[in-house]
Amino acid sequence: LLLDSDIVIVAEVAQLWSMFDRFGPNQMIGMGLEQNQFYSSLLGSTSGALGLNSGVVLYDLRRLRASELYKRQLEGFASQRLPVGIPIKPERTRLGYIADQTLFSFMSHPTAAGAAELFFVLPCGWNRQLSPQYWTTPGFLATHQCSGPCHLLHANFKPYKRLLEGGIQSDPTGRTCGVRAAVEGAR
């Protein structure tokens, strides 16, 4: 289990750990979806790409070490033979400052040589991203919806760490997963 340092867990960690029990036989990496349009704009909104966020990652290390598909994917990306068939704009093929997240988003793409099967998507409440970076972008609310309970809050935008503090103070139970409650709590 790997967590960013800007995470607050408002549920039992054992509940997050139990997500390993929900992995399918070929799944070995559990991550939440990116709750904004960053990867849909990078990969094309009709591509079916997931766009994953690495603020919370569950790694089944035994499966990763044994997986030939995972090894082929890593070698392919490291040698720049992949991503083949992924509609990425040529100027956007660098992994950048969020390299692990971008790599896994590329790997989870439906055309990435079958690597989508490696990933388990965590329920949105296990990586509730609070960044306002894309709030004014058309379509933001559609990608940022989360009807489940908030178990973990992720203040994934540096100037916005205070929102996390305010949200926790206004609803320390984590029952609210909406943007409005978090914003009102930060005031």
Side-chain angles (χ1 to χ4, degrees):
L1 175 60
L2 181 65
L3 302 174
D4 275 1
S5 62
D6 57 357
I7 297 285
V8 172
I9 300 176
V10 294
E12 297 287 330
V13 175
Q15 292 175 343
L16 178 57
W17 191 263
S18 74
M19 290 292 140
F20 281 112
D21 297 335
R22 296 174 62 183
F23 280 26
N26 297 320
Q27 293 172 324
M28 51 197 72
I29 302 170
M31 298 174 74
L33 294 176
E34 182 67 21
Q35 294 171 358
N36 63 58
Q37 307 86 328
F38 179 77
Y39 288 105
S40 60
S41 65
L42 182 65
L43 298 168
S45 59
T46 59
S47 68
L50 298 176
L52 300 168
N53 183 283
S54 62
V56 178
V57 186
L58 281 71
Y59 291 106
D60 185 321
L61 296 177
R62 260 186 246 124
R63 288 184 182 181
L64 282 170
R65 291 177 183 129
S67 173
E68 291 302 318
L69 174 57
Y70 182 69
K71 290 174 191 171
R72 282 194 310 273
Q73 286 287 311
L74 286 180
E75 289 169 5
F77 279 97
S79 67
Q80 298 183 352
R81 290 189 312 265
L82 290 175
V84 174
I86 300 177
I88 300 170
K89 299 171 186 172
E91 69 276 10
R92 302 294 296 265
T93 58
R94 291 181 165 242
L95 296 180
Y97 71 97
I98 46 175
D100 59 335
Q101 177 172 304
T102 303
L103 172 67
F104 290 147
S105 293
F106 288 172
M107 286 175 69
S108 71
H109 192 279
T111 62
E117 71 183 56
L118 303 175
F119 296 90
F120 172 81
V121 177
L122 295 170
C124 60
W126 282 110
N127 188 351
R128 189 59 172 143
Q129 299 148 42
L130 302 178
S131 172
Q133 186 174 0
Y134 296 95
W135 283 12
T136 59
T137 306
F140 170 78
L141 288 177
T143 57
H144 202 263
Q145 293 299 317
C146 184
S147 60
C150 278
H151 304 291
L152 183 148
L153 300 170
H154 183 185
N156 59 328
F157 186 60
K158 187 176 180 180
Y160 221 54
K161 305 299 183 192
R162 293 197 58 152
L163 175 67
L164 181 63
E165 295 169 10
I168 290 294
Q169 291 168 358
S170 69
D171 182 15
T173 67
R175 284 189 296 261
T176 306
C177 210
V179 173
R180 174 174 281 158
V183 170
E184 289 172 358
R187 290 184 182 153

